[in-house]
Amino acid sequence: EANLGTLCDSAQILPRALAFGRNGDLWLAGDGGVCRYPAANLPGSANPQPRIDDLPYAVNADAVSIDDEGRIWISTDGGLTAYEVRSDGPVSLQGLRTQDWSRFNAPIGNAAGASALGSVAAVGEKVYAGRGPTVFSLSQRWQQFDTANGMAYRDIRRLWTARGRLFVSTNDALHALGPDGATWDTRATPANDVMADRRGRLWV
């Protein structure tokens, strides 16, 4: 219905994932970084005025997820970046709060490239990110990073959250994190997508 032109007004950004924030902003993450279109200019605006936001410790982004408080979480080749829109007005730095977790301030890698996180999923007050066979969980209330390796050295493909639980698809299985946050319920089939309907049923 509407052609918004060159993505983010920059031919250097190639999207891998997108999500709508709670205020209706459209966020895109991919090669070249991250940008957002303000809700007031969507849809069909002839001048959508997107803003390209910095990734201080990264160049490329892989996935985006929105938590219950409306914060935008993005996994990058440098770690994890969170954005919080403080104002629903025009897109500006004054209305945006951001924080990064990288090898410099969190236990997610010890060298350039080793901090890359390929997936992210927010649920409740926790945010989960994955790289290789390792899942990292960030407890926002305590600002604490934990690591849990229950993947039996399988490569993580994607993360989802549904009905307050974390689901992880690897190359040969689907794992659901238990309520204790440490044990996994594993089914011997990989998954392409997981979601819940309004009746609470899970669809895989």
Side-chain angles (χ1 to χ4, degrees):
E1 296 181 358
N3 185 344
L4 300 183
T6 302
L7 181 67
C8 302
D9 288 338
S10 172
Q12 297 180 359
I13 293 184
L14 303 175
R16 295 183 179 180
L18 56 82
F20 283 99
R22 292 183 63 180
N23 68 345
D25 287 352
L26 174 61
W27 291 80
L28 297 103
D31 293 348
V34 58
C35 75
R36 68 181 161 120
Y37 289 86
N41 295 339
L42 294 173
S45 171
N47 185 21
Q49 296 179 326
R51 177 179 180 85
I52 299 174
D53 290 304
D54 289 336
L55 294 170
Y57 299 115
V59 176
N60 303 312
D62 287 284
V64 56
S65 184
I66 314 295
D67 71 12
D68 292 343
E69 300 297 324
R71 285 178 289 266
I72 294 87
W73 295 87
I74 296 176
S75 59
T76 74
D77 57 5
L80 192 65
T81 298
Y83 297 95
E84 184 177 14
V85 178
R86 309 287 287 182
S87 171
D88 290 338
V91 175
S92 67
L93 284 178
Q94 288 76 17
L96 188 68
R97 182 179 178 183
T98 184
Q99 187 171 352
D100 289 88
W101 289 265
S102 70
R103 63 189 178 95
F104 300 106
N105 63 357
I108 57 175
N110 55 15
S115 300
L117 297 172
S119 51
V120 63
V123 54
E125 71 171 37
K126 279 208 167 185
V127 177
Y128 298 90
R131 178 186 67 241
T134 303
V135 173
F136 300 88
S137 65
L138 171 64
S139 178
Q140 298 178 66
R141 178 173 296 177
W142 302 107
Q143 296 295 298
Q144 177 182 353
F145 247 108
D146 302 311
T147 61
N149 190 341
M151 298 294 100
Y153 296 100
R154 299 180 171 100
D155 284 333
I156 295 170
R157 296 172 59 199
R158 287 192 62 185
L159 301 180
W160 303 274
T161 54
R163 295 185 62 189
R165 298 187 65 184
L166 174 71
F167 294 85
V168 179
S169 180
T170 60
N171 288 334
D172 57 2
L174 176 65
H175 311 262
L177 186 61
D180 61 1
T183 57
W184 297 89
D185 177 12
T186 299
R187 309 298 171 94
T189 179
N192 292 321
D193 206 351
V194 177
M195 65 181 65
D197 64 21
R198 286 184 290 183
R199 295 183 180 180
R201 296 174 296 190
L202 288 170
W203 298 81
V204 179

